[in-house]
Amino acid sequence: MSSLTEKDRPIVQLLLNSGTCPRCILRFCCVGSQALYRHPYKDLMKDLKEFLKNNQEKEDTVCSDVVDPPCKRIRLEPTEEGPDDLNHNGALQQIPSVNDENTATENSAVKVCNVCLGILQEFCEVDFVKKVCQKVNSSDYQFTSFVFSVSLPPQLSVRERAAWLLVKQEMGNLGLSLAKDDIVQLKEAYKWIIHPQLSEELGVPADGKSLFEVSVVFAHPETDEECHFLATACPDCFKPAKNKQSVFTRMAVIKALEKIKEEDFLKHFPCPPSSPQNLCVALEIQCNNGAVFVAGRYNKYSRNLPQTPWIIDGERKLESSVEELISEHLMAEFKADSFNFSSSGREDVDVRTLGNGRPFAIELVNPRRIHFTAEEMKGLQQTINNSSDKIQVRDLQLVTREAIGRMKEGEEEKTKTYSALIWTDKAIQKEDIAFLDDIKELKLDQKTPLRVLHRRPLAVRCRIIHTMKSEYIDEHHFRLHLKTQAGTYIKEFVHGDFGRTKPNIGSLLNRTTDILELDVEVSCLLFIFLWN
């Protein structure tokens, strides 16, 4: 085992006798060779014992007149308790001595590691790898790479601290030091071992930036309570959280371990940590694909269709919505768990959306299928359009998350075009409304409309009517085409909202007016290739 040197021999001997597995021993010897961790467990154990044997033979043949540093074996022989031999109540326990190869073999027989609780033993074997891959393959995901994540029991951090203190004292006796950060992290070592096996079995590479995640959650019920003493020593580190079943989270335990003094830690926890009876258990093996984003534009031709489900006090008011008519087909094709709908603005339930359509985007959460050709997207668009005469979609395409952000940018700066059918109480002639065509950049003060006051804060908003063009119909009806600043309440501009919008069409015409129909006409210049 060329990665180990003479200075590592006492550490190997110490940890092996305390019940630590070969891979954890390599971690505490700061071995950074990934390939070495992948060697079969039995081979690593054999190599460690061979390493100890070879160094023992060298020690036995050294000349008697050469003074060597004190042998670790001598220091580990039973002695009366002294300041450097702390017991369970105070800290470091005595470790059984290794007198010969047979004793070493007996003490290092395969058993659950007292540091990793079996993570670097049983769960590195081919049977567990196959179990993970079977879960992945049965989940029916499309993916070209994967990222592997692992959740470890928080008590592993406590055991790691105890093992570090043990090794730290031993190295101090040799005039050496070992910082916590020098130890190879358990998660890192585990991924060194598991990544190549998963990659080979799944047929795709491991990639830290992959959107497809395979995760394993480990637990060890036998030692669950080993963290509890930290709550007494560092109570401010353990605070209840709404979404956490236990206050003993990994981050809380790590925070407490950073605060607690070494002498206080050693009063409550054995060093070396005791050997458990049982392995960890894999509570969950889960797969998750990163979200996929689909964008396009929609036209709404119904005056009885809300953009999103209309539910008041738990009661549904209308049977469908724009969101549902589009998303139900996307959900089925992408095989997603859920979705989030967003758009560039919204229209009222009785307002049509004409022109080139309103830009929208749908985030599909945890989709099983993620690869679609341009032709397949066109086919999906046609399926949506054939399913209802209330809406039509166009430009349906896969986009990035960043493109969704751009869709929302500058909404308040955009210009919107509307067509409103207006009624007047007093008869009008064409010349009565002609002056509206000459009004440019009309400034409005709009107090929050009564109809939205329950969901919008009370405020006075300044909005601009850029241009108006009237179209006479009869004595009590005319159509008004408007270009306005985004965010203008058109209905309120027409009827005045009991004087909350000033000026308004009623005040300009000096008569009572109301709006019968409203269409929003989206200009093709506003959103062409918004997400490309």
Side-chain angles (χ1 to χ4, degrees), residues 13 61 240 258 334 343 396 401 444:
Q13 189 172 358
T61 58
E258 290 174 350
F334 283 82
S343 65
L396 197 69
R401 183 185 293 272
L444 310 180

Side-chain angles (χ1 to χ4, degrees), residues 4-6 9 50-63 68:
L4 297 177
T5 62
E6 171 60 23
R9 185 179 67 83
E50 191 68 26
F51 170 73
L52 291 177
K53 178 182 176 182
N54 291 341
N55 281 276
Q56 180 64 51
E57 290 173 351
K58 291 179 182 179
E59 182 181 289
D60 291 342
T61 58
V62 77
C63 295
D68 284 336

Side-chain angles (χ1 to χ4, degrees), residues 199-213:
S199 183
E200 182 178 358
E201 190 74 20
L202 295 173
V204 296
D207 181 356
K209 296 182 179 180
S210 175
L211 295 179
F212 180 64
E213 179 185 31

